[in-house]
Every structure is written in C-alpha cells, then in structure tokens.
Amino acid sequence: SQKIEQNSEALNIQEGKTATLTCNYTNYSPAYLQWYRQDPGRGPVFLLLIRENEKEKRKERLKVTFDTTLKQSLFHITASQPADSATYLCALGDQAGTALIFGKGTTLSVSS
Amino acid sequence: GAVVSQHPSWVICKSGTSVKIECRSLDFQATTMFWYRQFPKQSLMLMATSNEGSKATYEQGVEKDKFLINHASLTLSTLTVTSAHPEDSSFYICSGVGDRISYNEQFFGPGTRLTVL
C-alpha cells in the first residue's frame, strides 16, 4: 500500500539556520507533491506545489526539491524564524482535483 | 488564496446525538469538496469525496450511514455525524477545489474539533 514518511516527528533549530524537512514515499507515483503548514488546532495552509517533471521550486524563504527516482522531497526554510514554528505536512496527489495523501508531519521548533 | 470556512469551530455533544458540520467556500465555487479526519499526532485521513449534486464517495472503512455528507450547492457541503460516540471525537477538516483554483491546489477549512462525551 501507499506509504508516506516524514522522517522526523520533531525538528529543533536555532533562529537564522536553515531547516530541512524530508518526505519519502513508497508504492506510489504521484503527479505532484505539496507542502502544507499546520498550526495547532487549525487546518492546513498550502505552501508550495511541485510537479513530477519539476526538480525545484522556490517561494521567498521556502525551497522544495522533488526527486522521483529517490521518491523523495526536501523542504527547506532558510533564515528560519520563531514564527516558522509549526507542523509541516507533505502531501501527494496523482490527478488534478483529487484527494491528497498526507504524511504525519514534522513539527518544527525554531528557538531565538 | 481561496477561503474555506467551517462551522462550528468546535462542538461538544453527548453520546448518541447527531452533529452537523458546515463547510463553505467563500470566494470560489467548489465543484469538489473533501472531508478529512485527523486524530492527535496523526496525518489527515480522507473520509469522503463530495461532488456538487451527486452522492459522496466514501473511503474504505468509513460508514456512509454514520457520516452523512451533502453537497447541495457549489459553496456548501455538510457532514453530519449521526449517533456520535466517543470514538468519533476528532478534528474534522474539509477542503475544496474549484474553477478559480489552480487545478492541483486544495484549500482547507480551519477544522472542527468534535468531542463526544
């Protein structure tokens, strides 16, 4: 069956450093991969989408890479700030407008 | 980005009662809405897919007679938890996709915390 793993349940870093989160998947060939931010008691907020034919996407301090051979995506937050502290979810999709398959998330804590 | 609202944001009910949760797309027409459930420290699990004007499609293991979904308009979908029990206590989240949104993006509501006593 399809499986998504976000390798760290929790990640603690210091302010100003780059946070790198990992998402690995098996038994799946997604057409695209998305990253979401979720704060406690709130719904996920869309951050970035990367398609299977794209290697890298950037948005301000965020960068996502997608390696379909390794079946892995890396999510980077550069110059991290305490306000970046949240849970980050990786989600996979195979068709436009279909439901997503989510990982459990990695909780990032950025200390000042 | 597009906005999805949910009401109520939290609800506490007695075992055996029914609870209705509303999901509204505020600035776009949601041709499809998804209902997810999230237990503490777990991932979002898809419960059902709802297309406007047609019956919802439920995921394996989700009782369609217990979790009633109605998607009567392009801006409103409802989830009714019938005869709720404590094991139904969870965080319920909806998302929508529609005509104004890039076809792969989903926008999520803020979630509804259900606690069944």
Side-chain angles (χ1 to χ4, degrees):
Chain A
S1 61
Q2 302 152 349
K3 194 174 178 183
I4 301 175
E5 281 187 358
Q6 293 189 244
N7 67 337
S8 297
E9 195 172 308
L11 180 64
N12 301 307
I13 64 168
Q14 279 197 312
E15 183 175 10
K17 301 291 186 184
T18 296
T20 298
L21 286 64
T22 305
C23 175
N24 293 291
Y25 59 93
T26 56
N27 299 325
Y28 200 56
S29 296
Y32 57 92
L33 185 148
Q34 302 184 15
W35 284 90
Y36 288 82
R37 169 181 173 142
Q38 186 176 27
D39 291 286
R42 306 293 296 173
V45 174
F46 173 79
L47 296 175
L48 279 170
L49 177 153
I50 186 165
R51 295 188 168 84
E52 60 177 336
N53 59 349
E54 297 175 317
K55 296 292 185 187
E56 183 179 297
K57 253 313 181 42
R58 290 176 186 260
K59 179 181 176 183
E60 297 172 354
R61 294 185 296 112
L62 309 180
K63 185 177 87 171
V64 173
T65 63
F66 194 10
D67 189 325
T68 55
T69 301
L70 291 178
K71 294 186 181 294
Q72 180 182 80
S73 174
L74 299 179
F75 177 76
H76 307 273
I77 305 176
T78 58
S80 59
Q81 306 165 359
D84 296 327
S85 298
T87 296
Y88 291 86
L89 305 172
C90 164
L92 304 180
D94 58 4
Q95 292 181 46
T98 58
L100 299 169
I101 302 172
F102 282 87
K104 286 187 180 181
T106 296
T107 299
L108 173 68
S109 297
V110 181
S111 55
S112 57
Chain B
V3 180
V4 175
S5 70
Q6 277 184 245
H7 178 80
S9 54
W10 58 270
V11 57
I12 300 173
C13 69
K14 291 183 179 179
S15 187
T17 60
S18 294
V19 174
K20 180 186 279 190
I21 302 170
E22 292 186 350
C23 176
R24 292 183 186 272
S25 54
L26 299 185
D27 56 356
F28 70 100
Q29 294 190 318
T31 50
T32 302
M33 282 186 173
F34 303 99
W35 286 94
Y36 295 84
R37 181 166 53 181
Q38 186 178 34
F39 293 105
K41 295 194 181 296
Q42 298 296 313
S43 61
L44 279 75
M45 297 300 295
L46 179 68
M47 297 176 68
T49 300
S50 165
N51 291 301
E52 184 266 338
S54 60
K55 288 185 178 180
T57 302
Y58 291 80
E59 294 300 297
Q60 192 172 10
V62 178
E63 300 173 56
K64 62 180 180 181
D65 294 329
K66 181 171 182 64
F67 298 99
L68 301 178
I69 291 173
N70 184 286
H71 191 165
S73 78
L74 286 172
T75 59
L76 174 65
S77 176
T78 59
L79 167 67
T80 301
V81 184
T82 62
S83 187
H85 288 96
E87 57 266 29
D88 299 323
S89 299
S90 188
F91 193 50
Y92 292 86
I93 308 172
C94 69
S95 72
V97 293
D99 55 337
R100 282 188 52 218
I101 299 174
S102 169
Y103 78 109
N104 282 339
E105 292 179 27
Q106 292 185 26
F107 288 89
F108 286 81
T112 297
R113 172 75 60 194
L114 170 63
T115 302
V116 185
L117 302 176

